[in-house]
Amino acid sequence: MTTHVAIGASSWRDYIFSAVPAALLWRDRIGFHPIILRTGDWAARPRGVTVLKSLAEHKIDHYHVGPAVGYEESTMAQNCRQHIGCLDLPAEDWAMPSDADLWPIRKEYYQEASDWGICYNANMDHYSTLPTCHVSLPMVIWRELYKVKAGD
């Protein structure tokens, strides 16, 4: 079983550069499989070209998410990661959305065991609301919740 971390990142300078270190931390420190979901045109500026080369050099999986009429690039980056169930990944694997600027540090923190799901963070309101970043669920549950299937 693999845990896939869907990292949404726009071409905005504050996020584009942090995407690669975030992915490397998830893969090399925590042991999860990072997937960068890119919004905007990363190849349009030199910084984006540099990051695309780095993704290739480090063999980090990444996909371009096209625009949606009426929505900002940043909104797409925040929301596309929720649809990780659309990717052709095994149903028995787990999925977790994350941000390019949320870097995992302690491996032990992310090694809990569960049959259904894990919430690693809360919104500082005594768990009355939960951010979707760092909620880890089996892929089959992600697909059920979002009414999607692999390949959508």
Side-chain angles (χ1 to χ4, degrees), residues 13-49:
R13 67 179 180 267
D14 293 348
Y15 296 102
I16 195 168
F17 278 124
S18 62
V20 174
L24 290 172
L25 285 166
W26 281 114
R27 184 185 70 195
D28 300 342
R29 181 151 183 80
I30 308 303
F32 291 176
H33 174 237
I35 301 170
I36 304 291
L37 301 173
R38 302 178 284 112
T39 63
D41 186 358
W42 287 30
R45 294 187 180 95
R47 68 175 169 250
V49 172

mmCIF file of all heavy atoms in Angstrom, residues 13-49:
data_model
loop_
_atom_site.group_PDB
_atom_site.id
_atom_site.type_symbol
_atom_site.label_atom_id
_atom_site.label_comp_id
_atom_site.label_asym_id
_atom_site.label_seq_id
_atom_site.Cartn_x
_atom_site.Cartn_y
_atom_site.Cartn_z
ATOM 1 N N ARG A 13 4.943 32.706 -7.537
ATOM 2 C CA ARG A 13 6.316 32.510 -7.052
ATOM 3 C C ARG A 13 6.395 31.956 -5.634
ATOM 4 O O ARG A 13 7.345 31.270 -5.287
ATOM 5 C CB ARG A 13 7.101 33.807 -7.155
ATOM 6 C CG ARG A 13 6.614 34.886 -6.220
ATOM 7 C CD ARG A 13 7.438 36.160 -6.322
ATOM 8 N NE ARG A 13 6.930 37.154 -5.419
ATOM 9 C CZ ARG A 13 6.042 38.079 -5.736
ATOM 10 N NH1 ARG A 13 5.576 38.139 -6.957
ATOM 11 N NH2 ARG A 13 5.625 38.932 -4.835
ATOM 12 N N ASP A 14 5.411 32.250 -4.795
ATOM 13 C CA ASP A 14 5.454 31.762 -3.418
ATOM 14 C C ASP A 14 5.217 30.262 -3.315
ATOM 15 O O ASP A 14 5.546 29.653 -2.296
ATOM 16 C CB ASP A 14 4.417 32.491 -2.557
ATOM 17 C CG ASP A 14 4.757 33.956 -2.371
ATOM 18 O OD1 ASP A 14 5.893 34.358 -2.702
ATOM 19 O OD2 ASP A 14 3.891 34.703 -1.901
ATOM 20 N N TYR A 15 4.633 29.668 -4.329
ATOM 21 C CA TYR A 15 4.305 28.244 -4.278
ATOM 22 C C TYR A 15 5.115 27.404 -5.244
ATOM 23 O O TYR A 15 5.425 26.256 -4.960
ATOM 24 C CB TYR A 15 2.812 28.031 -4.526
ATOM 25 C CG TYR A 15 1.990 28.661 -3.443
ATOM 26 C CD1 TYR A 15 1.358 29.875 -3.642
ATOM 27 C CD2 TYR A 15 1.887 28.070 -2.193
ATOM 28 C CE1 TYR A 15 0.630 30.482 -2.629
ATOM 29 C CE2 TYR A 15 1.167 28.669 -1.169
ATOM 30 C CZ TYR A 15 0.541 29.876 -1.401
ATOM 31 O OH TYR A 15 -0.162 30.463 -0.395
ATOM 32 N N ILE A 16 5.451 27.953 -6.376
ATOM 33 C CA ILE A 16 6.123 27.167 -7.401
ATOM 34 C C ILE A 16 7.471 26.633 -6.909
ATOM 35 O O ILE A 16 7.799 25.477 -7.137
ATOM 36 C CB ILE A 16 6.242 27.966 -8.719
ATOM 37 C CG1 ILE A 16 6.584 27.040 -9.873
ATOM 38 C CG2 ILE A 16 7.224 29.109 -8.595
ATOM 39 C CD1 ILE A 16 6.439 27.692 -11.241
ATOM 40 N N PHE A 17 8.238 27.467 -6.206
ATOM 41 C CA PHE A 17 9.546 27.016 -5.737
ATOM 42 C C PHE A 17 9.441 26.054 -4.564
ATOM 43 O O PHE A 17 10.295 25.201 -4.385
ATOM 44 C CB PHE A 17 10.434 28.208 -5.356
ATOM 45 C CG PHE A 17 11.112 28.830 -6.543
ATOM 46 C CD1 PHE A 17 10.950 30.174 -6.806
ATOM 47 C CD2 PHE A 17 11.892 28.082 -7.407
ATOM 48 C CE1 PHE A 17 11.562 30.756 -7.906
ATOM 49 C CE2 PHE A 17 12.511 28.652 -8.509
ATOM 50 C CZ PHE A 17 12.343 29.995 -8.761
ATOM 51 N N SER A 18 8.419 26.175 -3.750
ATOM 52 C CA SER A 18 8.314 25.285 -2.586
ATOM 53 C C SER A 18 7.764 23.911 -2.954
ATOM 54 O O SER A 18 7.827 22.988 -2.149
ATOM 55 C CB SER A 18 7.465 25.930 -1.494
ATOM 56 O OG SER A 18 6.156 26.160 -1.947
ATOM 57 N N ALA A 19 7.255 23.743 -4.166
ATOM 58 C CA ALA A 19 6.682 22.458 -4.572
ATOM 59 C C ALA A 19 7.720 21.335 -4.589
ATOM 60 O O ALA A 19 7.445 20.223 -4.128
ATOM 61 C CB ALA A 19 6.016 22.586 -5.943
ATOM 62 N N VAL A 20 8.900 21.600 -5.120
ATOM 63 C CA VAL A 20 9.920 20.545 -5.204
ATOM 64 C C VAL A 20 10.433 20.139 -3.826
ATOM 65 O O VAL A 20 10.451 18.939 -3.515
ATOM 66 C CB VAL A 20 11.071 20.953 -6.150
ATOM 67 C CG1 VAL A 20 12.192 19.914 -6.116
ATOM 68 C CG2 VAL A 20 10.543 21.124 -7.574
ATOM 69 N N PRO A 21 10.832 21.082 -2.964
ATOM 70 C CA PRO A 21 11.250 20.642 -1.619
ATOM 71 C C PRO A 21 10.138 19.904 -0.864
ATOM 72 O O PRO A 21 10.410 18.925 -0.169
ATOM 73 C CB PRO A 21 11.629 21.943 -0.901
ATOM 74 C CG PRO A 21 11.892 22.930 -1.975
ATOM 75 C CD PRO A 21 11.050 22.518 -3.143
ATOM 76 N N ALA A 22 8.904 20.358 -1.017
ATOM 77 C CA ALA A 22 7.789 19.660 -0.360
ATOM 78 C C ALA A 22 7.706 18.221 -0.859
ATOM 79 O O ALA A 22 7.591 17.282 -0.062
ATOM 80 C CB ALA A 22 6.479 20.396 -0.614
ATOM 81 N N ALA A 23 7.764 18.037 -2.168
ATOM 82 C CA ALA A 23 7.686 16.690 -2.740
ATOM 83 C C ALA A 23 8.852 15.817 -2.280
ATOM 84 O O ALA A 23 8.664 14.640 -1.944
ATOM 85 C CB ALA A 23 7.656 16.776 -4.265
ATOM 86 N N LEU A 24 10.047 16.385 -2.248
ATOM 87 C CA LEU A 24 11.209 15.613 -1.797
ATOM 88 C C LEU A 24 11.086 15.211 -0.329
ATOM 89 O O LEU A 24 11.453 14.088 0.043
ATOM 90 C CB LEU A 24 12.495 16.410 -2.027
ATOM 91 C CG LEU A 24 12.886 16.583 -3.493
ATOM 92 C CD1 LEU A 24 14.051 17.558 -3.620
ATOM 93 C CD2 LEU A 24 13.211 15.246 -4.136
ATOM 94 N N LEU A 25 10.560 16.109 0.505
ATOM 95 C CA LEU A 25 10.350 15.757 1.911
ATOM 96 C C LEU A 25 9.327 14.635 2.052
ATOM 97 O O LEU A 25 9.527 13.694 2.829
ATOM 98 C CB LEU A 25 9.924 16.980 2.713
ATOM 99 C CG LEU A 25 11.043 17.978 3.023
ATOM 100 C CD1 LEU A 25 10.456 19.304 3.510
ATOM 101 C CD2 LEU A 25 12.002 17.399 4.055
ATOM 102 N N TRP A 26 8.220 14.744 1.315
ATOM 103 C CA TRP A 26 7.210 13.686 1.389
ATOM 104 C C TRP A 26 7.803 12.350 0.947
ATOM 105 O O TRP A 26 7.576 11.326 1.582
ATOM 106 C CB TRP A 26 5.986 14.019 0.541
ATOM 107 C CG TRP A 26 5.068 14.983 1.204
ATOM 108 C CD1 TRP A 26 4.776 16.253 0.801
ATOM 109 C CD2 TRP A 26 4.298 14.765 2.392
ATOM 110 N NE1 TRP A 26 3.893 16.842 1.683
ATOM 111 C CE2 TRP A 26 3.588 15.950 2.660
ATOM 112 C CE3 TRP A 26 4.159 13.691 3.265
ATOM 113 C CZ2 TRP A 26 2.733 16.080 3.755
ATOM 114 C CZ3 TRP A 26 3.315 13.818 4.353
ATOM 115 C CH2 TRP A 26 2.614 14.999 4.588
ATOM 116 N N ARG A 27 8.559 12.354 -0.123
ATOM 117 C CA ARG A 27 9.091 11.094 -0.652
ATOM 118 C C ARG A 27 10.255 10.567 0.182
ATOM 119 O O ARG A 27 10.249 9.402 0.599
ATOM 120 C CB ARG A 27 9.536 11.295 -2.103
ATOM 121 C CG ARG A 27 10.007 9.991 -2.753
ATOM 122 C CD ARG A 27 10.541 10.212 -4.129
ATOM 123 N NE ARG A 27 11.817 10.922 -4.065
ATOM 124 C CZ ARG A 27 12.382 11.509 -5.120
ATOM 125 N NH1 ARG A 27 11.780 11.501 -6.292
ATOM 126 N NH2 ARG A 27 13.540 12.117 -4.995
ATOM 127 N N ASP A 28 11.269 11.407 0.383
ATOM 128 C CA ASP A 28 12.524 10.928 0.957
ATOM 129 C C ASP A 28 12.540 10.886 2.482
ATOM 130 O O ASP A 28 13.243 10.081 3.064
ATOM 131 C CB ASP A 28 13.691 11.789 0.455
ATOM 132 C CG ASP A 28 13.824 11.741 -1.068
ATOM 133 O OD1 ASP A 28 13.273 10.818 -1.700
ATOM 134 O OD2 ASP A 28 14.463 12.655 -1.626
ATOM 135 N N ARG A 29 11.767 11.737 3.122
ATOM 136 C CA ARG A 29 11.746 11.746 4.590
ATOM 137 C C ARG A 29 10.590 10.927 5.145
ATOM 138 O O ARG A 29 10.753 10.164 6.085
ATOM 139 C CB ARG A 29 11.663 13.179 5.119
ATOM 140 C CG ARG A 29 11.669 13.268 6.618
ATOM 141 C CD ARG A 29 12.284 14.566 7.097
ATOM 142 N NE ARG A 29 12.349 14.629 8.538
ATOM 143 C CZ ARG A 29 13.270 14.037 9.289
ATOM 144 N NH1 ARG A 29 14.219 13.344 8.723
ATOM 145 N NH2 ARG A 29 13.256 14.152 10.603
ATOM 146 N N ILE A 30 9.407 11.092 4.563
ATOM 147 C CA ILE A 30 8.207 10.439 5.107
ATOM 148 C C ILE A 30 7.954 9.082 4.456
ATOM 149 O O ILE A 30 7.425 8.173 5.074
ATOM 150 C CB ILE A 30 6.976 11.360 4.953
ATOM 151 C CG1 ILE A 30 7.254 12.750 5.535
ATOM 152 C CG2 ILE A 30 5.744 10.733 5.591
ATOM 153 C CD1 ILE A 30 7.661 12.782 6.994
ATOM 154 N N GLY A 31 8.322 8.938 3.182
ATOM 155 C CA GLY A 31 8.121 7.662 2.496
ATOM 156 C C GLY A 31 6.820 7.592 1.710
ATOM 157 O O GLY A 31 6.397 6.519 1.293
ATOM 158 N N PHE A 32 6.169 8.733 1.500
ATOM 159 C CA PHE A 32 4.931 8.783 0.721
ATOM 160 C C PHE A 32 5.247 9.160 -0.728
ATOM 161 O O PHE A 32 6.346 9.643 -1.024
ATOM 162 C CB PHE A 32 3.961 9.811 1.306
ATOM 163 C CG PHE A 32 3.375 9.435 2.653
ATOM 164 C CD1 PHE A 32 2.554 10.324 3.322
ATOM 165 C CD2 PHE A 32 3.637 8.217 3.267
ATOM 166 C CE1 PHE A 32 2.000 10.007 4.557
ATOM 167 C CE2 PHE A 32 3.084 7.890 4.499
ATOM 168 C CZ PHE A 32 2.268 8.789 5.144
ATOM 169 N N HIS A 33 4.305 8.950 -1.609
ATOM 170 C CA HIS A 33 4.479 9.247 -3.034
ATOM 171 C C HIS A 33 3.858 10.604 -3.361
ATOM 172 O O HIS A 33 2.638 10.727 -3.396
ATOM 173 C CB HIS A 33 3.830 8.156 -3.883
ATOM 174 C CG HIS A 33 3.826 8.451 -5.332
ATOM 175 N ND1 HIS A 33 2.666 8.499 -6.077
ATOM 176 C CD2 HIS A 33 4.835 8.758 -6.194
ATOM 177 C CE1 HIS A 33 2.961 8.795 -7.320
ATOM 178 N NE2 HIS A 33 4.271 8.960 -7.427
ATOM 179 N N PRO A 34 4.687 11.631 -3.607
ATOM 180 C CA PRO A 34 4.136 12.951 -3.926
ATOM 181 C C PRO A 34 3.717 13.060 -5.389
ATOM 182 O O PRO A 34 4.366 12.495 -6.279
ATOM 183 C CB PRO A 34 5.313 13.892 -3.641
ATOM 184 C CG PRO A 34 6.519 13.059 -3.944
ATOM 185 C CD PRO A 34 6.144 11.643 -3.538
ATOM 186 N N ILE A 35 2.640 13.770 -5.615
ATOM 187 C CA ILE A 35 2.169 14.077 -6.962
ATOM 188 C C ILE A 35 1.868 15.572 -6.987
ATOM 189 O O ILE A 35 1.022 16.054 -6.237
ATOM 190 C CB ILE A 35 0.901 13.289 -7.315
ATOM 191 C CG1 ILE A 35 1.159 11.775 -7.227
ATOM 192 C CG2 ILE A 35 0.394 13.687 -8.705
ATOM 193 C CD1 ILE A 35 -0.097 10.932 -7.328
ATOM 194 N N ILE A 36 2.578 16.304 -7.833
ATOM 195 C CA ILE A 36 2.351 17.738 -7.964
ATOM 196 C C ILE A 36 1.247 17.960 -8.997
ATOM 197 O O ILE A 36 1.329 17.463 -10.120
ATOM 198 C CB ILE A 36 3.630 18.481 -8.420
ATOM 199 C CG1 ILE A 36 4.798 18.203 -7.482
ATOM 200 C CG2 ILE A 36 3.352 19.980 -8.574
ATOM 201 C CD1 ILE A 36 4.670 18.799 -6.116
ATOM 202 N N LEU A 37 0.224 18.696 -8.612
ATOM 203 C CA LEU A 37 -0.857 19.081 -9.518
ATOM 204 C C LEU A 37 -0.654 20.560 -9.824
ATOM 205 O O LEU A 37 -0.877 21.415 -8.977
ATOM 206 C CB LEU A 37 -2.209 18.791 -8.872
ATOM 207 C CG LEU A 37 -2.425 17.321 -8.504
ATOM 208 C CD1 LEU A 37 -3.703 17.147 -7.718
ATOM 209 C CD2 LEU A 37 -2.417 16.439 -9.740
ATOM 210 N N ARG A 38 -0.185 20.844 -11.038
ATOM 211 C CA ARG A 38 0.235 22.188 -11.434
ATOM 212 C C ARG A 38 -0.912 22.956 -12.078
ATOM 213 O O ARG A 38 -1.576 22.461 -12.968
ATOM 214 C CB ARG A 38 1.362 22.114 -12.470
ATOM 215 C CG ARG A 38 2.589 21.376 -12.023
ATOM 216 C CD ARG A 38 3.645 21.299 -13.129
ATOM 217 N NE ARG A 38 3.296 20.315 -14.157
ATOM 218 C CZ ARG A 38 2.973 20.614 -15.403
ATOM 219 N NH1 ARG A 38 2.938 21.860 -15.830
ATOM 220 N NH2 ARG A 38 2.677 19.654 -16.262
ATOM 221 N N THR A 39 -1.115 24.185 -11.626
ATOM 222 C CA THR A 39 -2.065 25.074 -12.290
ATOM 223 C C THR A 39 -1.298 26.262 -12.852
ATOM 224 O O THR A 39 -0.243 26.630 -12.333
ATOM 225 C CB THR A 39 -3.169 25.568 -11.338
ATOM 226 O OG1 THR A 39 -2.582 26.337 -10.291
ATOM 227 C CG2 THR A 39 -3.944 24.396 -10.739
ATOM 228 N N GLY A 40 -1.810 26.834 -13.917
ATOM 229 C CA GLY A 40 -1.117 27.939 -14.570
ATOM 230 C C GLY A 40 -0.089 27.423 -15.553
ATOM 231 O O GLY A 40 0.127 26.217 -15.697
ATOM 232 N N ASP A 41 0.568 28.347 -16.215
ATOM 233 C CA ASP A 41 1.561 28.003 -17.234
ATOM 234 C C ASP A 41 2.962 28.088 -16.647
ATOM 235 O O ASP A 41 3.592 29.135 -16.655
ATOM 236 C CB ASP A 41 1.413 28.947 -18.437
ATOM 237 C CG ASP A 41 2.310 28.542 -19.590
ATOM 238 O OD1 ASP A 41 3.075 27.557 -19.449
ATOM 239 O OD2 ASP A 41 2.241 29.216 -20.627
ATOM 240 N N TRP A 42 3.464 26.987 -16.150
ATOM 241 C CA TRP A 42 4.766 26.967 -15.505
ATOM 242 C C TRP A 42 5.892 27.190 -16.506
ATOM 243 O O TRP A 42 6.967 27.628 -16.143
ATOM 244 C CB TRP A 42 4.969 25.656 -14.761
ATOM 245 C CG TRP A 42 4.160 25.529 -13.505
ATOM 246 C CD1 TRP A 42 2.943 26.093 -13.241
ATOM 247 C CD2 TRP A 42 4.494 24.788 -12.349
ATOM 248 N NE1 TRP A 42 2.509 25.744 -11.994
ATOM 249 C CE2 TRP A 42 3.441 24.930 -11.428
ATOM 250 C CE3 TRP A 42 5.581 23.999 -12.002
ATOM 251 C CZ2 TRP A 42 3.459 24.327 -10.178
ATOM 252 C CZ3 TRP A 42 5.587 23.387 -10.760
ATOM 253 C CH2 TRP A 42 4.545 23.557 -9.850
ATOM 254 N N ALA A 43 5.677 26.872 -17.762
ATOM 255 C CA ALA A 43 6.722 27.023 -18.775
ATOM 256 C C ALA A 43 6.815 28.447 -19.317
ATOM 257 O O ALA A 43 7.702 28.746 -20.109
ATOM 258 C CB ALA A 43 6.471 26.041 -19.916
ATOM 259 N N ALA A 44 5.926 29.333 -18.899
ATOM 260 C CA ALA A 44 5.884 30.692 -19.444
ATOM 261 C C ALA A 44 6.961 31.613 -18.856
ATOM 262 O O ALA A 44 7.249 32.651 -19.439
ATOM 263 C CB ALA A 44 4.510 31.314 -19.208
ATOM 264 N N ARG A 45 7.536 31.231 -17.718
ATOM 265 C CA ARG A 45 8.534 32.089 -17.065
ATOM 266 C C ARG A 45 9.763 31.252 -16.716
ATOM 267 O O ARG A 45 9.648 30.054 -16.445
ATOM 268 C CB ARG A 45 7.947 32.697 -15.796
ATOM 269 C CG ARG A 45 6.806 33.654 -16.061
ATOM 270 C CD ARG A 45 6.380 34.341 -14.765
ATOM 271 N NE ARG A 45 5.289 35.257 -15.024
ATOM 272 C CZ ARG A 45 4.002 34.939 -14.879
ATOM 273 N NH1 ARG A 45 3.661 33.740 -14.459
ATOM 274 N NH2 ARG A 45 3.060 35.829 -15.135
ATOM 275 N N PRO A 46 10.914 31.892 -16.656
ATOM 276 C CA PRO A 46 12.139 31.148 -16.330
ATOM 277 C C PRO A 46 12.058 30.370 -15.019
ATOM 278 O O PRO A 46 12.548 29.244 -14.944
ATOM 279 C CB PRO A 46 13.216 32.247 -16.252
ATOM 280 C CG PRO A 46 12.709 33.320 -17.161
ATOM 281 C CD PRO A 46 11.197 33.290 -17.003
ATOM 282 N N ARG A 47 11.418 30.936 -13.986
ATOM 283 C CA ARG A 47 11.349 30.202 -12.713
ATOM 284 C C ARG A 47 10.547 28.912 -12.868
ATOM 285 O O ARG A 47 10.871 27.891 -12.275
ATOM 286 C CB ARG A 47 10.784 31.081 -11.600
ATOM 287 C CG ARG A 47 9.336 31.447 -11.754
ATOM 288 C CD ARG A 47 8.832 32.233 -10.529
ATOM 289 N NE ARG A 47 7.553 32.800 -10.789
ATOM 290 C CZ ARG A 47 7.314 34.089 -10.953
ATOM 291 N NH1 ARG A 47 8.292 34.951 -10.884
ATOM 292 N NH2 ARG A 47 6.100 34.529 -11.181
ATOM 293 N N GLY A 48 9.494 28.960 -13.683
ATOM 294 C CA GLY A 48 8.700 27.762 -13.913
ATOM 295 C C GLY A 48 9.466 26.703 -14.684
ATOM 296 O O GLY A 48 9.371 25.509 -14.392
ATOM 297 N N VAL A 49 10.233 27.129 -15.666
ATOM 298 C CA VAL A 49 11.066 26.204 -16.437
ATOM 299 C C VAL A 49 12.071 25.526 -15.514
ATOM 300 O O VAL A 49 12.292 24.312 -15.590
ATOM 301 C CB VAL A 49 11.765 26.934 -17.605
ATOM 302 C CG1 VAL A 49 12.786 26.030 -18.287
ATOM 303 C CG2 VAL A 49 10.741 27.444 -18.608
#
